Amino acid sequence: MIKNESVTELVNQQVSIPAKVAFARDVDEGLSKEQKTLPSRYFYDGTGSRLFQQIMELPEYYLTRCEQEVLTTNKQAMAALFARGSYFHLIDLGAGDALKTKVLLAELTQQKLAFDYVPVDISGDAMQQLSKSLHNEIPNLKVEAVVGEYFQSLDWLQENKSERKVVLFLGSNIGNFEEPESIRFLTSVRSYLQPGDQLLMGVDLRKDPEMILKAYDDASGITAAFNLNLLQRINKELGGDFNVNQFRHYAMYNPLEGVMRSFLISLSDQDVHIQGSNKTYHFNAWEAIHTENSHKYTIPQIKMLGQLCGFRIEKVFYDSKQLFADVLFAVDQ
């Protein structure tokens, strides 16, 4: 293993079989509902991940650029608030390639702060690649990547990492949860933290509805391909016979609720058989499959959400146009 780096596997090789079973179960459950759904967490196979990388480069997709600006502009202030004169673990939930986190890592390292970096992701390959890239880019950084689900990893960290914790939950991932789910998630994260610990969370803010809609329904059709790839993944991994050309991507934003919703619309009456569940599913013409929510927030809403879950806002960092925010929460006593 590379010096100062390790990858701790909390999932073993046998997980690959149950993961396929879980995929089939979740697809069956969603397509058996009166209002059909498919879980957005299954977007990210190899093709889906490549398409999302393209989405992040689109002119319409402001989110990644805005958060990159937030982190680049405020990295010194963030580092000062993280430091507090004591050693800490920087825990990055859903780290992926850590493209945005690297802005903070470079700053924290340059300031010679006492910390280690603990990226957490379900993908072992992603964590191996990240560890190698960090070895090349920031060779003095101590990295211990953890492969596992969020709370499985937090369990391990609680047992093995006793020092102060700064948790990162970047992007706008909190927006993918419905309100009860976001409360459960943040309450669970809080249960692993102690007074003095912190959480830095990315939040997409409410803004011009047209700007939001274009970010999820780009003119070049890459977001549509990303959504439709979910059907192709079912065909490939679960033996489905979706005719992908008989479905189209549809996106809508509700400014009253502040929710961006994505759907796949059946263009005809059709039946689809999936070997993985050994069932056939009927789709009426113009019937919708709900695939994703993305909630947009105001800062008062985020403040209330934090308070419900045992956090208080310590500092809000914005991009120059206040389209996006990274909110630093402190753990209440």
Side-chain angles (χ1 to χ4, degrees):
M1 193 63 67
I2 298 169
K3 186 179 179 182
N4 285 340
E5 296 177 9
S6 67
V7 178
T8 300
E9 296 270 356
L10 300 183
V11 290
N12 58 41
Q13 293 179 349
Q14 294 179 342
V15 168
S16 60
I17 297 174
K20 186 174 181 179
V21 172
F23 184 22
R25 179 201 62 212
D26 291 344
V27 167
D28 175 53
E29 181 179 313
L31 296 184
S32 298
K33 294 177 181 177
E34 184 176 354
Q35 167 56 71
K36 293 181 173 65
T37 64
L38 288 171
S40 60
R41 65 179 172 274
Y42 293 115
F43 279 142
Y44 299 97
D45 63 348
T47 301
S49 296
R50 287 191 293 274
L51 286 167
F52 190 68
Q53 290 292 326
Q54 294 177 44
I55 288 170
M56 290 192 294
E57 296 171 2
L58 290 169
E60 298 97 327
Y61 196 79
Y62 60 85
L63 292 90
T64 302
R65 290 190 300 277
C66 287
E67 189 170 32
Q68 194 81 15
E69 180 190 335
V70 174
L71 294 168
T72 302
T73 304
N74 297 286
K75 59 187 179 182
Q76 292 181 336
M78 290 178 178
L81 289 167
F82 293 168
R84 296 189 171 178
S86 63
Y87 189 90
F88 64 94
H89 304 293
L90 187 67
I91 301 164
D92 192 359
L93 298 181
D97 63 4
L99 180 64
K100 288 176 287 191
T101 307
K102 288 177 179 179
V103 174
L104 288 175
L105 294 174
E107 180 65 28
L108 294 168
T109 303
Q110 183 176 335
Q111 292 194 23
K112 295 182 168 52
L113 298 184
F115 79 104
D116 67 350
Y117 177 51
V118 187
V120 173
D121 203 282
I122 194 62
S123 170
D125 286 344
M127 292 301 88
Q128 291 284 357
Q129 291 171 18
L130 176 58
S131 294
K132 290 177 181 177
S133 73
L134 288 171
H135 171 74
N136 293 328
E137 296 169 31
I138 315 176
N140 294 325
L141 176 65
K142 183 178 179 183
V143 180
E144 182 160 10
V146 179
V147 180
E149 300 282 357
Y150 291 157
F151 298 120
Q152 181 187 29
S153 302
L154 287 168
D155 271 333
W156 182 87
L157 287 163
Q158 193 171 47
E159 294 175 6
N160 294 276
K161 301 284 187 180
S162 59
E163 293 87 356
R164 190 165 61 86
K165 297 175 177 64
V166 178
V167 177
L168 306 179
F169 193 52
L170 301 179
S172 57
N173 292 325
I174 192 66
N176 295 136
F177 298 137
E178 295 287 7
E179 184 177 354
E181 294 174 315
S182 65
I183 292 171
R184 285 195 297 271
F185 175 79
L186 290 176
T187 301
S188 296
V189 170
R190 168 63 183 87
S191 71
Y192 290 97
L193 303 180
Q194 302 296 325
D197 292 346
Q198 295 165 304
L199 167 67
L200 184 69
M201 185 171 78
V203 178
D204 193 18
L205 301 175
R206 295 197 183 187
K207 58 185 69 67
D208 180 354
E210 285 298 321
M211 176 180 283
I212 294 173
L213 184 58
K214 288 178 181 178
Y216 294 83
D217 194 15
D218 62 278
S220 58
I222 296 174
T223 308
F226 176 70
N227 202 8
L228 287 162
N229 181 64
L230 185 49
L231 303 184
Q232 294 171 326
R233 182 178 182 184
I234 293 171
N235 285 350
K236 180 173 62 176
E237 297 184 22
L238 300 180
D241 62 1
F242 277 100
N243 180 347
V244 178
N245 293 327
Q246 286 300 305
F247 289 83
R248 72 174 174 89
H249 167 70
Y250 181 75
M252 61 180 293
Y253 178 66
N254 184 329
L256 290 176
E257 298 177 2
V259 185
M260 183 72 226
R261 293 189 172 93
S262 295
F263 302 88
L264 292 168
I265 307 293
S266 174
L267 301 182
S268 63
D269 282 312
Q270 55 185 309
D271 292 310
V272 174
H273 183 75
I274 299 177
Q275 294 176 13
S277 59
N278 194 29
K279 288 176 67 174
T280 297
Y281 307 88
H282 180 72
F283 296 84
N284 296 319
W286 311 118
E287 184 175 2
I289 309 171
H290 180 206
T291 56
E292 186 180 26
N293 287 331
S294 184
H295 291 255
K296 313 304 175 185
Y297 298 94
T298 65
I299 293 302
Q301 285 177 317
I302 287 297
K303 180 179 179 180
M304 183 176 297
L305 177 61
Q307 289 173 340
L308 285 171
C309 303
F311 295 97
R312 62 175 172 81
I313 290 181
E314 187 170 350
K315 180 75 174 177
V316 180
F317 301 96
Y318 299 97
D319 66 288
S320 57
K321 296 181 180 179
Q322 296 200 357
L323 302 176
F324 195 96
D326 279 317
V327 180
L328 183 64
F329 289 106
V331 174
D332 279 338
Q333 297 290 334

